[in-house]
Amino acid sequence: MASLQLATFLVLLATAIGSVSSRFIVERSNIRVLSPEHIRSHHDAAIANFGVPDYGGTMTGVIAYPDKGTTGCEPFNSGPFKSRTRRPVFLLLDRGDCYFALKAWNGQNAGAAAVLVADNIDEPLITMDNPEESRDSEYVEKITIPSALVNRAFGETLKKALAKGNEEVVVKLDWRESMPHPDNRVEYEFWTNSNDECGPRCEEQMDFVKNFKGHAQLLEKGGFTQFTPHYITWFCPEAFILSKQCKSQCINNGRYCAPDPEQDFGEGYDGKDVVIENLRQLCVHRVANESGRPWVWWDFVTDYHVRCSMKEKKYSRDCGEKVVKSLGLPLDKISKCMGDPEADAENEFLKREQEVQVGRGTRGDVTILPTLVINNVQYRGILERTAVLKAICAGFKESTEPPVCLSGDIETNECLESNGGCWQDLRLNITSCKDTFRGRICKCPTVNGVRYEGDGYTSCQAVGPGRCTVNNGGCWSETRNGKTFSACSELELRGCRCPFGFHGDGYKCEAKNMSRFGLLLMVLVLACVVGAGVAGYIFYKYRLRSYMDSEIMAIMSQYMPLDNQHNESQPLRPDSTA
């Protein structure tokens, strides 16, 4: 009896651990009715926790409501649903009589691109969850279309419009704002468990870790994402702390517990073994993160699952420590991080896990495993590599996505068709169209260090230094008689101006035409200039000659006396008389 009560308490605590502020948040998408015109409107829809929501994208299609089997609980044998306009078909079904996931599965097999389930009562939107684990629900993993729940009133509106039969009911499913995308880094966390004996749920999360490991490590190494693993823990009710069952399922005197892996307190592994291994994996991430290698957590978890499986009776401390050493992690630091499981004291890291398990802000409480949270929003849909990668890619601010988000397997390059409607220069092979995960943006580019400015749709012009080196800055240029004239000036950072002797707007320039008067005036001016030059030259030659003559005379007078000076210095002749 005590064992049954303890097991009941541990199960109930998953939803009661945050009893003060416990809550579950419904993640939503948007539905816009495009036609008929009289019912155009916007509505919220609750994203299902199965299938593949098109995070960051949109789908446009027509609503179809079956003539019979409106709950979708039985396969549709009348053939695939088709629209007259060849648009995708969104199948509208009624709530009730079977699992939500079965409705989506039958709709997918009948050719539906999406399934909308109309509520049958007036109530706030709820999340359509997976059915309980059973062999009959294996189809859930094969659902690849999106599904959503809409309220009863909106469902009735769609049915009435279809009943008139005048025109197709066209709607647009929109997930663009279902995933926050504030900046160039996505922060996501994965709530998991080291236990590999909990059935399909454990297999699902382990398969995801192995398959997503490559993407996760590349994104983390590139600085595009920040990943944090988490582990759900429970505590033992005070009335059972000293019981044998509580001691076998908990550590630190009942503070941190996990359900018995085999759900049998008498054999196999105990819940405390799971708690200790969960703590080790938390510390592996913490120590690896401190050394600048947070992505090593993915290696440890996958290696531990292969080498230390419960199924092979190798789930132990010794096996875990061997994996730690093989990955080059410091065992002493991890042991110090883990502390003493037998101590009657709080464990810093497990206490923190219990605190963050309670929802805050836009994130609800974490109550089931596995749970993926991206940018503080709980992910809805199948836990599969490509589907999760799409959701993470939707979390980046547009145009900041890493290359992996722009591969053909993830999204369609809208720039390949009509250049996305953006500006382009075919001669230089330059375009303003930039492919993004969410679609495309038209933004003038930077080419070889030269920046372009414009609206990105009809025009982009080179601006700034070096602009004239790229297509002459978009300005006019022409070569005449071996000389090139250009309207682009490196002295100006933008704009075009026709050079001297030409007129126009700078994008087209023509030589200026001169009138007869202007030509005569120009000839007269040139003649005056030439005449002034000749006169100046003659005057210069005359003055220079006069100056040279005077200088020569001055020099000669110093060395060659004049005649009268020579006569005065002659003596009297002998025949002269007194």
Side-chain angles (χ1 to χ4, degrees), residues 445-516:
T446 297
V447 181
N448 297 328
V450 179
R451 183 166 53 91
Y452 281 74
E453 284 187 355
D455 61 11
Y457 294 92
T458 59
S459 67
C460 288
Q461 296 180 356
V463 298
R467 68 190 183 97
C468 296
T469 61
V470 181
N471 194 29
N472 197 50
C475 303
W476 169 89
S477 68
E478 186 177 316
T479 300
R480 295 184 178 184
N481 300 324
K483 184 178 181 180
T484 300
F485 299 90
S486 172
C488 185
S489 173
E490 293 288 358
L491 300 178
E492 299 178 355
L493 298 182
R494 66 182 70 237
C496 304
R497 182 183 298 177
C498 295
F500 179 77
F502 293 84
H503 67 91
D505 58 4
Y507 301 98
K508 184 177 181 181
C509 299
E510 296 179 352
K512 294 181 179 179
N513 294 322
M514 303 186 68
S515 63
R516 291 184 178 181

Side-chain angles (χ1 to χ4, degrees), residues 277-317:
E277 184 53 40
N278 288 348
L279 177 58
R280 188 190 327 279
Q281 295 185 7
L282 279 172
C283 288
V284 164
H285 181 264
R286 181 176 183 271
V287 172
N289 191 41
E290 290 175 348
S291 65
R293 299 189 302 151
W295 50 84
V296 174
W297 177 89
W298 297 86
D299 294 319
F300 179 88
V301 172
T302 51
D303 287 359
Y304 187 87
H305 178 72
V306 173
R307 299 171 59 179
C308 311
S309 171
M310 278 187 179
K311 297 177 181 178
E312 298 178 1
K313 307 301 180 183
K314 296 180 180 179
Y315 189 93
S316 66
R317 170 183 173 180

Side-chain angles (χ1 to χ4, degrees), residues 393-453:
C393 289
F396 289 99
K397 183 179 180 180
E398 193 166 20
S399 80
T400 67
E401 307 93 340
V404 67
C405 294
L406 304 179
S407 65
D409 295 335
I410 302 298
E411 60 91 40
T412 301
N413 189 343
E414 295 186 10
C415 293
L416 296 180
E417 184 174 349
S418 301
N419 196 47
C422 304
W423 170 90
Q424 64 177 333
D425 188 322
L426 293 175
R427 187 167 64 87
L428 296 178
N429 195 28
I430 299 175
T431 176
S432 65
C433 188
K434 184 173 182 179
D435 182 37
T436 69
F437 177 78
R438 293 173 173 268
R440 64 95 179 94
I441 58 174
C442 297
K443 182 179 180 181
C444 294
T446 297
V447 181
N448 297 328
V450 179
R451 183 166 53 91
Y452 281 74
E453 284 187 355

